[in-house]
Amino acid sequence: MPLHASSGPLLRESVAQPPSPARSTGNAGYVYLIATVAALGGLLFGFDTAIINGALVFLKKDFGLTDTETELAASSILFGAVAGAAVAGGLTDRYGRRRLLFGAALLFTLSAVAAALPRTLTEFVVARLAGGLAIGLASLLVPLYIAEIAPARIRGLLVTLNQLAIVTGILLAYVASYYLAGQGVASWRWMFASAAVPSLLFMVTLLLVPESPRWLLGQGREAEAIGTLTRLNGPVAAATETAEIQAALAAERGAEANLYQPRLRQPLRIAVVLAVLQQITGINTILYYGSIIFTEHSGRVPLQPSEPTP
């Protein structure tokens, strides 16, 4: 009985307390919408990377490419991706996450159209380099933007959405290649052009999402950042997260992060080893040259429009 009597006031007091930031749900639907829009960049990453697989066998035949030229056509996108990833960090710190994502969406769209219309291998390589730049930008910006938008309680879930989008894009590229392969030697043009549809969707939907509140606070635009955080997480959590972000930004300005400091060396080694192991398994051979391998070793060639289906 004393236990129940004493717990009554405590219970009433706890009910009267405002909700803690951890329990403030904010606008969950809006958060998922933003993450889904951003993840379209990951989908385009996968689609633009894998579409060369189905197109390469037609491209090689149409342009009469040698093996070396075929390799250049397939790998040109990687050179652009390296450049895009190298400059993405500095550009996004200067111009913002949303603006640079829009730039990547524009590059995806232009590259899709340009890769479908070339008259020479050089023109095709230039178009794919532009697509590679977009991929490099998206590879950094999409997970970064989602992480900075998402509440801590679901941040891991939403960042994982980017990886799901990438493999979904790869699958869609293979499906598109399968259904467009019946257009004859020019099938490869339709395959690349098909990427313009999700690229345009990405570009348009980016107009619906806000700038990263972390970037806004770093630029001194506190009112805008608080407005975004309030809509995402609710007013209570917004105040707490604003203070936490400002403290983190102040710490970063006071001492620039050094990846080579002793406590970070081991995690850095692990990250590098994992990245290397992903590549040396040989998966990229199948990802880029699967159609060539199949046609050269199976004795089958792509159907022409006039040929009957066996």
Side-chain angles (χ1 to χ4, degrees):
M1 186 66 181
L3 177 61
H4 290 282
S6 62
S7 63
L10 291 175
L11 180 59
R12 288 193 296 272
E13 182 181 354
S14 65
V15 171
Q17 292 294 324
S20 65
R23 295 183 180 180
S24 179
T25 57
N27 191 341
Y30 186 52
V31 173
Y32 284 108
L33 171 65
I34 294 172
T36 301
V37 169
L40 287 174
L43 185 141
L44 287 166
F45 179 149
F47 192 99
D48 268 32
T49 299
I51 196 66
I52 189 68
N53 191 327
L56 195 58
V57 64
F58 297 100
L59 179 67
K60 181 178 182 180
K61 184 175 182 180
D62 195 11
F63 281 177
L65 303 180
T66 65
D67 288 343
T68 301
E69 290 171 333
T70 302
E71 292 166 6
L72 176 61
S75 61
S76 55
I77 197 170
L78 298 178
F79 292 101
V82 170
V87 302
L91 290 177
T92 191
D93 286 342
R94 182 172 182 177
Y95 298 109
R97 316 321 187 206
R98 182 173 175 267
R99 189 177 299 177
L100 209 57
L101 278 171
F102 191 87
L106 181 60
L107 281 172
F108 274 126
T109 305
L110 295 177
S111 171
V113 175
L117 300 175
R119 295 160 297 179
T120 65
L121 175 62
T122 301
E123 292 177 357
F124 176 79
V125 168
V126 171
R128 292 293 281 172
L129 283 171
L133 282 172
I135 286 176
L137 293 174
S139 66
L140 173 73
L141 288 170
V142 172
L144 175 65
Y145 178 76
I146 294 176
E148 292 183 347
I149 286 291
R153 66 185 184 279
I154 56 173
R155 186 168 296 140
L157 171 66
L158 292 183
V159 172
T160 303
L161 185 63
N162 179 54
Q163 291 299 319
L164 177 62
I166 291 173
V167 295
T168 301
I170 294 172
L171 174 62
L172 289 177
Y174 292 158
V175 172
S177 297
Y178 176 80
Y179 282 104
L180 294 172
Q183 306 301 316
V185 175
S187 294
W188 64 273
R189 298 184 184 274
W190 292 101
M191 294 176 189
F192 287 112
S194 66
V197 176
S199 299
L200 284 170
L201 178 63
F202 184 36
M203 191 160 52
V204 171
T205 53
L206 278 171
L207 299 174
L208 306 176
V209 304
E211 181 54 85
S212 161
R214 181 183 178 88
W215 184 82
L216 289 172
L217 286 170
Q219 300 297 310
R221 296 158 63 176
E222 184 173 341
E224 294 178 59
I226 293 175
T228 299
L229 287 170
T230 299
R231 187 174 182 186
L232 291 170
N233 307 323
V236 178
T240 301
E241 291 193 22
T242 299
E244 292 175 350
I245 294 172
Q246 287 176 328
L249 290 172
E252 290 175 6
R253 295 189 192 101
E256 291 295 329
N258 182 2
L259 289 177
Y260 299 102
Q261 57 185 290
R263 68 185 183 85
L264 294 179
R265 287 175 186 168
Q266 188 64 17
L268 180 61
R269 291 192 193 101
I270 293 173
V272 170
V273 169
L274 287 175
V276 171
L277 289 177
Q278 285 181 329
Q279 302 305 312
I280 65 174
T281 57
I283 185 61
N284 286 341
T285 303
I286 305 301
L287 187 65
Y288 290 98
Y289 298 104
S291 62
I292 297 290
I293 294 171
F294 179 78
T295 55
E296 289 184 352
H297 290 80
S298 68
R300 293 176 61 88
V301 296
L303 292 174
Q304 301 297 319
S306 60
E307 293 178 354
T309 303

